[in-house]
Every structure is written in structure tokens, then in C-alpha cells.
Amino acid sequence: MRIETQAIVCALLVHGEHGAIVRLMTPQDGLQAAYVRGARGRRMRPVLIPGNQVQARLSSRTEAQLAQAEIELMHSRGPLLGEPLPAAAIEWATALTATALPEAQPYPPLYQALDGLLAAIEAAPAASGWGSALVRYELLLLAELGFGLDLQTCAVTGSNDALVAVSPRSGRAVSAAEADPYRDRLLPLPNFLLDGGTASWPEIIDGLRLTGHFLTRDVLTDRAASLLEGRERLVDRLRRAAGVA
């Protein structure tokens, strides 16, 4: 097996005295795990930061063997580690990708979305500029794993008018008239997920509440549930930044 590709560093696991197993998100080959010699050395540590864009050459003698990787840095997001909110968002998005996806399954839309999310985090002056991209990435990941939400029509009437909430059981949208008697049992559906465009702080928080429910229920179960602590810290920071209780 030989792969030469651009990739996004998603996770690093120390292995042996000097090396590490790195998990890379690639455009055409999905999530790839590989051993990197000297990963803990002075030269490679800044290269293998989660969120970094790299050029990777992976090779193994058989499909069952852990690949060996040679990694070169293309673009570093290391400077963002000094910013609490961007650092937490990058850590969460890359850890979610490395944990939730099966290895070696292609997810080109997810690679493009993750690349776009990381670029938005880097470019936006405030979290309000990339919060909606994070919600959309989580929604796409749910869909790619087979847990997509139906936000196009009302689960009760079949209409696409005045959709305001989502059923926490079915993941389907509910219109205003049908949702009103059960508002406290439903998840709010922010407008930006229907109409596109920018999102307000309350909409971003509502979006994260929506995706968080289904990630917790359907994806981050058993041992992966520990990953949710990082997400909770991120959402708490976003709430404080937004002044939302």
C-alpha cells in the first residue's frame, strides 16, 4: 500500500521511545493511521500538531500492516494554540474526526468541510465568525455516518413552512404550529441551517445543542463518550463569549 497525499493532522498517540501513531484525514482515502519515526523530536513536534496541513507519504507491505509515514509541513496552525477558543475548537473538531470515523473509508465532503472549518477558525476575528461552520461540520459528520437529520419538511404535516424545531427522537423538523404544544420537549432549529448565511450567537448555541444531542446519542458512545468533555468545555466557553446563559 502506497499513498501520497495532502492531509490534516487529527490525532497523535505516543508509540515507543521516539515515535508516534498519527491519524490523518485525507481527501480521497479517509482517515489513515501511520507510524512516524522521530515524532517526538524537536523537528517533528511542531509538524504533527492537530489541525496542521501536511504532505504525507504512507507505505506498508500489506493492507493489515500499520503504515509508515513521512510527513512534511505545508501549513501550520500552531500559532492558534495560544488563543483559547480557536485552540479548543481545533482540538474538538480534529479529535471528533479521529474518533468517529472508521479508518480507510473515503469521505471527500468531510475532508473539504474540515479544511473549510479550520480555515474559518484561522481567518475569523471572533468565534461568531466560525461557530456556524462548526455546527454544519457536525451535521455533515452525522449525515456521512448514517445519522443525518431531516430538516427539510415537518415530520407531522410534510410541509416545509415555518420549521422551528427538531424532534430529539426522530431527528426530523417540526413546524411552528405543531411544535408549540411540545416546545419544551423539542430541540430548537436555528434559521441559518435552513436559509444559510450568517448566524447570531443564540443560533450558534442552539445549533450546537442540536448536533450535540445526536452526537451523544448516536456517535460518541461507550469509550468514545469521554471525548464529550472537551466539547462541553468548548460550548461553555462559547456561551461565555456570547453572554448566553
Side-chain angles (χ1 to χ4, degrees):
M1 184 272 286
R2 290 183 180 274
I3 298 173
E4 184 162 354
T5 180
Q6 292 186 16
I8 296 168
V9 178
C10 288
L12 197 70
L13 177 65
V14 171
H15 186 78
E17 187 174 352
H18 301 292
I21 297 172
V22 63
R23 279 183 161 75
L24 304 168
M25 186 60 177
T26 70
Q28 301 300 326
D29 298 287
L31 191 68
Q32 294 285 332
Y35 177 76
V36 179
R37 296 181 185 276
R40 300 166 64 187
R42 182 179 300 176
R43 185 179 70 86
M44 290 303 298
R45 277 202 308 267
V47 175
L48 298 175
I49 294 172
N52 279 0
Q53 193 86 24
V54 298
Q55 184 72 19
R57 289 179 293 277
L58 291 75
S59 62
S60 65
R61 292 183 178 181
T62 68
E63 292 291 337
Q65 185 183 43
L66 178 66
Q68 303 277 326
E70 296 178 10
I71 308 289
E72 296 178 8
L73 181 64
M74 294 180 64
H75 179 69
S76 174
R77 294 190 170 96
L80 293 174
L81 296 183
E83 302 288 337
L85 265 177
I90 291 173
E91 178 184 4
W92 161 247
T94 52
L96 172 64
T97 303
T99 302
L101 298 186
E103 289 184 5
Q105 299 295 315
Y107 294 99
L110 271 178
Y111 175 86
Q112 295 296 332
L114 179 59
D115 187 43
L117 170 60
L118 295 174
I121 293 171
E122 188 172 22
S128 56
W130 50 258
S132 59
L134 176 59
V135 175
R136 291 189 177 101
Y137 180 71
E138 292 182 344
L139 273 179
L140 179 61
L141 184 138
L142 284 165
E144 291 288 311
L145 292 177
F147 302 108
L149 309 187
D150 182 356
L151 307 181
Q152 303 304 310
T153 59
C154 176
V156 180
T157 66
S159 168
N160 59 2
D161 295 330
L163 301 174
V164 298
V166 176
S167 165
R169 290 187 178 182
S170 68
R172 297 190 62 188
V174 183
S175 65
E178 301 297 333
D180 193 57
Y182 311 100
R183 189 70 69 123
D184 59 337
R185 304 180 195 175
L186 300 174
L187 297 164
L189 175 57
N191 285 333
F192 77 93
L193 293 179
L194 300 173
D195 303 328
T198 59
S200 66
W201 269 119
E203 286 181 321
I204 291 170
I205 300 302
D206 282 346
L208 290 170
R209 179 184 170 195
L210 174 66
T211 53
H213 171 81
F214 292 101
L215 286 171
T216 302
R217 190 189 74 176
D218 298 326
V219 177
L220 299 178
T221 57
D222 300 327
R223 285 181 294 178
S226 61
L227 191 64
L228 289 167
E229 295 178 3
R231 187 180 191 276
E232 290 171 2
R233 289 193 295 270
L234 170 61
V235 173
D236 184 60
R237 287 176 176 175
L238 288 170
R239 285 180 180 276
R240 292 200 299 268
V244 177

